[in-house]
Amino acid sequence: MKTEEFFLTGAYPTSRRAVAAGWIVCPALSGWPAAQAEYLAHLPVRDANDAALRALAKARSTRAAHVAIFAGDPFIHLPTVFRAAARAGVEALAAYPTAQMFDGETARVIASAGYGLSADAAFVRAARAAGFETLAFAFDLTAARTLLDAGATRVVLHPGPEVRDQRGRRAALAAVDATRAALGDAPILIHRAHGYDPAALDALAARARGAVHLHPSMP
């Protein structure tokens, strides 16, 4: 199986290496430092989906490009998104940012408003029904199976927010590897999240289909 390599960025990359790979375009990430980008993308200072729709107007027609849509947006009108993607020649969409980033009481509050895993799964089902390939992020085995059952073309396993102690980081990566193993031959990528050992993430990616690299402001 050919290893897949994706870049999660705020804009279309132009470097030769990046263009040769795939990419996930999330304009809400643009300009933020990598250490905080995945949190700051959720802040209401930016309208993630409005930015995504504007990016669709400039999108390149290629199966390697995914335009990221925040599925938890209560005002999202999916037919409008799908029409814009089809007009741009985009064939793949990603459920991102995702409220699955949060845990504890914050996660419970978010889930009660319908912004969590259920929103991501509903988006994947709708996008697949509209004819798009889909990519979604999962933070545990239940989420990964839910998204695969919803029809996700690819699922990205995310180790979660940066853990400050080394033991916690090792445990998070071990959980990712256990989830990957439990999913067998499913189309799984590993998210190279900020704050984790790059060599360990590369080892995980080598046992999966490939990796997603976080580069919020790649030129």
Side-chain angles (χ1 to χ4, degrees):
M1 180 186 299
K2 182 179 178 181
T3 298
E4 296 185 333
E5 186 175 38
F6 285 84
F7 292 88
L8 175 57
T9 76
Y12 286 103
T14 57
S15 72
R16 183 174 300 175
R17 178 171 179 264
V19 169
W23 55 87
I24 306 160
V25 180
C26 178
L29 290 173
S30 184
W32 299 126
Q36 292 88 33
E38 294 197 85
Y39 292 106
L40 296 175
H42 289 84
L43 294 180
V45 296
R46 292 181 179 174
D47 185 333
N49 288 335
D50 178 67
L53 286 170
R54 285 188 275 110
L56 278 170
K58 302 176 182 178
R60 305 174 187 183
S61 178
T62 170
R63 294 174 66 86
H66 293 67
V67 174
I69 301 296
F70 177 43
D73 182 352
F75 303 108
I76 191 171
H77 186 248
L78 291 180
T80 297
V81 172
F82 297 155
R83 284 195 297 270
R87 283 196 300 268
V90 170
E91 299 181 3
L93 299 171
Y96 190 88
T98 172
Q100 293 181 68
M101 273 291 299
F102 301 95
D103 57 13
E105 183 60 29
T106 301
R108 286 188 285 273
V109 172
I110 289 172
S112 70
Y115 292 1
L117 173 61
S118 60
D120 290 349
F123 173 78
V124 167
R125 284 192 293 270
R128 291 293 284 163
F132 295 94
E133 290 192 6
T134 54
L135 178 149
F137 287 73
F139 290 72
D140 57 32
L141 181 58
T142 296
R145 284 177 168 159
T146 297
L147 294 165
L148 288 167
D149 289 345
T153 311
R154 296 174 179 83
V155 168
V156 184
L157 298 184
H158 196 306
E162 179 181 357
V163 179
R164 294 196 177 277
D165 67 280
Q166 189 173 20
R167 180 180 296 180
R169 289 194 294 271
R170 286 198 299 264
L173 294 182
V176 167
D177 199 32
T179 296
R180 176 208 54 79
L183 294 170
D185 294 329
I188 299 300
L189 301 170
I190 304 299
H191 184 52
R192 298 180 84 261
H194 180 82
Y196 290 88
D197 177 20
L201 290 168
D202 287 344
L204 291 179
R207 294 193 287 274
R209 179 173 289 192
V212 171
H213 304 263
L214 175 63
H215 287 283
S217 298
M218 178 183 289

